[in-house]
Amino acid sequence: MAKATAQKTKNIYDFKKDENNVEKLQSGLTPDIVKEISAKKGEPQWMLEHRLKSLSIYNELKVPNWGPDISKLDIDNIVTYVRSTAKMADDWQNVPADIRDTFERLGIPEAEKNAALSGVGAQYDSELVYHNLQDSVAKQGVIYCGIEEALKGPYAEMIKEHFMHLVPPSDHKFAALHGAVWSGGSFVYVPPGVDVKVPLQSYFRLNSPGAGQFEHTLIIVDKNASLHFIEGCSAPKYNVANLHAGCVELFVEEGARLRYSTIENWSKNMFNLNTKRAIVKEGGNIEWVSGSFGSHISYLYPMSILSGAHAKAEFTGITFAGEGQDLDTGAKIVHSAPYTSSVINTKSLSKAGGRSTFRSAITVTANAHQSKASVSCQSLMLDDISRSDTIPLMDVRCDDVNVGHEASIGTIDDDTVFYLMSRGLSETQAKTSIVNGFANPVSKELPLEYTMEMNNLIKLEMEGGLG
C-alpha cells in the first residue's frame, strides 16, 4: 500500500511534457554552438568573448578526480541549449499552457497568490518563461528580473562588473563550461537600507531529456539591506544523463544580510555540478539553507568569503542519498578579515545503498585575528548497505582564533522504532518520523510552504517513491 501511495504521490515531480514548440541546438560543445547561443540572445560583444574564452579554458582543464566518478557524463551527448519558442511573460496567463501546467502542478503560482513571495521567476529548460515582482517591492527600488534582460538594459554595467568575478571560468572545468553556455537565471539588486520583508523565488525545471541547464543567478544586497531568496529545482527522470551546471554569485555589502535557501529535487539521472559563492563585506551576514534530495551524482559546496571585519556566515544543510545516488556535498568558508565568524551545521541520510559524503573546507588567513569557525556534521544511515563519509579540511594560518570540528555517524534506534510502532505507526511511518526529527534544524529555517515540500520529499524517499 505504501508503494502504491508513493508511486501516486511522486507524480508531483516526476512527470514529463512533450517537446512542442521547442527549439534545440545540436548536442555537444563547439565554438559554433557557443556563437549560436550568443547570437540568439543578441548579447554584447564582451559576453561573446567571455563565452569563447571560457570554452578555451574548459578544453584545457581536466575533469575533477577526487570526488564521485562522473566518467559516464559525456558532454558530446548533452544538448546545451533548449528553449520554448514563446517569449518570457510577466502575466501568468500569457505563459504557454503546457509550461504553465508544469509549474501549476509544482505549486509555484499558488505560493505567489498567497503572498508568500515578493516575486517569482520560473525557468523552463534554458530560458525564463515568467518573471514578476510585487509593486510594493518594486517601489522600494528593488530590481528583480531575468539576468539576460538586465544585460541589455540600464544595469548592463553592473552585470559586467560582477558577472563571474566571484566564480571565474578558471575555477574548475564545469565553471568554464557554465561560462561558455550559460543561459537564463535571475538578477537581483536590493538598494541600501531596504528590507525585503518576504522572499523572492526562482524555480528551475528541466524537462528535456539529454539536456543541460546552466542558469546564472547574480544577487547584490547593498549596504544595510536584507533579502531572503529561495531557489527550487526539479526534473523528470529519463534513461539518459541530464546535466545541471548553474552558477550563483552573491555580493553582500557592508552591514547587509542575505539568506539563500535551496530545495533541490533533481531526478536520479541528473549530474548536478553546481557552483555557489558569496562574498561578505564588513558586518555583513550570509546564511545558506540547503536541502539536497535528488540527482544521480552531486558536487555542491557553497563558499562564503568573509572579506570584511565582523562578517558572518552560516550554512545549514541536509542531504538524502537513496538508491543509485552518490551525493558529495558540503560547504567552504574563507576567513580573510579579523573578528569574522562562521558556523556549518549539516545532516546527511543514506538509504538503500546510497552514498553521502560531507566535504568541508575552512581557511583562516594570517590576518583573520579573533575569528571563530565551528563545523558540525551528523550522519544517519538507514540500513547496513549505505555509506556515509566525512572529509573535513582546515587550513588555519593565525594563532588567536577558535576553530572546531565535530562529526557523528549513527543508525536509527530499534527501540525508538518499536516504541512508535506500539503507538500505532507502521514501521515506515515510525522511521519517517525519526528522520523528520533529524531534519528539523533545516526544515525550521524554511518558509512553511518549503518545509511542507521538504517533509514530503523525505516521505517519498522513505517510501521509495522518488525516481
Side-chain angles (χ1 to χ4, degrees):
M1 185 68 173
K3 284 280 187 181
T5 302
Q7 185 67 31
K8 181 179 179 180
T9 309
K10 81 168 187 173
N11 291 330
I12 295 173
Y13 308 100
D14 189 16
F15 59 90
K16 307 172 177 69
K17 289 290 184 179
D18 294 333
E19 294 187 293
N20 300 320
N21 301 315
V22 166
E23 178 184 359
K24 301 174 71 169
L25 298 186
Q26 67 184 74
S27 60
L29 184 62
T30 66
D32 286 342
I33 289 175
V34 171
K35 290 176 182 177
E36 188 171 359
I37 292 173
S38 185
K40 286 181 179 297
K41 297 176 179 296
E43 294 175 337
Q45 181 65 24
W46 73 264
M47 182 56 77
L48 173 59
E49 293 170 358
H50 172 89
R51 289 183 181 274
L52 292 173
K53 182 179 178 181
S54 297
L55 177 60
S56 177
I57 294 171
Y58 172 84
N59 289 327
E60 294 171 359
L61 294 177
K62 294 182 179 180
V63 174
N65 60 2
W66 43 264
D69 179 18
I70 56 175
S71 60
K72 292 184 179 179
L73 173 62
D74 184 356
I75 196 66
D76 290 334
N77 292 325
I78 296 292
V79 177
T80 56
Y81 185 75
V82 183
R83 75 174 183 94
S84 166
T85 55
K87 294 183 178 180
M88 189 184 74
D90 57 9
D91 184 329
W92 188 247
Q93 295 307 313
N94 292 335
V95 176
D98 57 338
I99 297 177
R100 191 170 67 241
D101 177 67
T102 294
F103 289 107
E104 286 174 348
R105 292 174 69 171
L106 293 166
I108 305 309
E110 286 305 313
E112 185 179 24
K113 288 176 189 175
N114 294 334
L117 302 167
S118 291
V120 171
Q123 179 159 332
Y124 194 81
D125 289 328
S126 295
E127 295 286 358
L128 287 168
V129 294
Y130 176 72
H131 228 283
N132 190 35
L133 181 67
Q134 287 186 10
D135 289 341
S136 60
V137 181
K139 288 177 181 177
Q140 292 180 288
V142 176
I143 307 301
Y144 179 41
C145 63
I147 190 168
E148 294 176 26
E149 176 187 350
L151 186 61
K152 301 171 189 175
Y155 315 107
E157 284 303 312
M158 191 180 293
I159 301 296
K160 185 176 181 180
E161 180 184 350
H162 293 87
F163 187 85
M164 292 200 80
H165 281 233
L166 276 184
V167 184
S170 57
D171 201 70
H172 58 81
K173 190 173 184 69
F174 293 98
L177 174 64
H178 175 88
V181 298
W182 75 274
S183 185
S186 295
F187 170 64
V188 181
Y189 173 72
V190 183
V194 172
D195 179 14
V196 182
K197 297 293 186 183
V198 289
L200 299 176
Q201 174 193 271
S202 281
Y203 199 96
F204 303 101
R205 178 72 174 181
L206 182 56
N207 180 71
S208 184
Q213 193 169 62
F214 308 96
E215 80 287 347
H216 194 96
T217 301
L218 175 59
I219 299 177
I220 303 169
V221 185
D222 218 326
K223 293 181 180 180
N224 300 312
S226 66
L227 172 71
H228 183 187
F229 190 89
I230 302 174
E231 174 187 76
C233 325
S234 69
K237 184 179 180 181
Y238 293 104
N239 293 322
V240 295
N242 279 65
L243 170 63
H244 178 236
C247 182
V248 174
E249 295 185 292
L250 310 177
F251 295 83
V252 183
E253 299 296 328
E254 294 178 16
R257 184 185 186 94
L258 172 60
R259 171 173 285 198
Y260 195 95
S261 301
T262 305
I263 296 292
E264 292 193 345
N265 181 31
W266 296 119
S267 56
K268 293 181 182 178
N269 61 302
M270 179 74 75
F271 288 80
N272 183 27
L273 310 175
N274 209 9
T275 306
K276 300 181 178 183
R277 194 162 298 168
I279 187 165
V280 188
K281 294 188 178 178
E282 182 176 354
N285 192 337
I286 177 69
E287 300 176 39
W288 304 89
V289 181
S290 177
S292 298
F293 292 89
S295 74
H296 171 49
I297 288 176
S298 278
Y299 282 61
L300 181 60
Y301 327 97
M303 174 186 280
S304 303
I305 303 169
L306 305 179
S307 65
H310 300 281
K312 297 179 180 180
E314 182 174 349
F315 179 89
T316 305
I318 185 165
T319 301
F320 198 133
E323 182 179 2
Q325 292 182 272
D326 193 340
L327 306 185
D328 201 284
T329 65
K332 302 177 182 179
I333 310 286
V334 177
H335 293 259
S336 61
Y339 305 102
T340 52
S341 61
S342 65
V343 176
I344 297 175
N345 183 13
T346 69
K347 293 176 179 285
S348 66
L349 302 108
S350 50
K351 173 181 177 284
R355 178 170 181 172
S356 178
T357 301
F358 169 72
R359 195 182 299 269
S360 67
I362 299 292
T363 301
V364 183
T365 64
N367 62 338
H369 303 287
Q370 298 294 315
S371 292
K372 299 178 181 180
S374 172
V375 180
S376 174
C377 171
Q378 294 178 285
S379 301
L380 185 63
M381 291 187 291
L382 306 181
D383 51 46
D384 58 2
I385 61 172
S386 301
R387 178 167 176 170
S388 181
D389 295 285
T390 300
I391 306 174
L393 171 67
M394 294 190 173
D395 180 1
V396 182
R397 307 180 188 186
C398 187
D399 291 335
D400 57 340
V401 295
N402 188 335
V403 180
H405 175 270
E406 61 174 326
S408 63
I409 297 178
T411 58
I412 287 182
D413 182 61
D414 290 339
D415 290 340
T416 304
V417 175
F418 177 78
Y419 171 77
L420 291 173
M421 291 177 67
S422 74
R423 310 303 292 178
L425 299 182
S426 68
E427 182 177 359
T428 298
Q429 289 172 331
K431 290 182 176 180
T432 300
S433 295
I434 294 169
V435 169
N436 278 329
F438 181 76
N440 185 59
V442 178
S443 62
K444 73 179 184 181
E445 298 296 332
L446 295 167
L448 177 60
E449 291 81 5
Y450 288 86
T451 297
M452 293 172 62
E453 179 180 4
M454 195 177 102
N455 289 340
N456 186 47
L457 290 171
I458 289 173
K459 179 175 181 289
L460 291 173
E461 286 283 5
M462 293 302 293
E463 294 176 349
L466 282 178

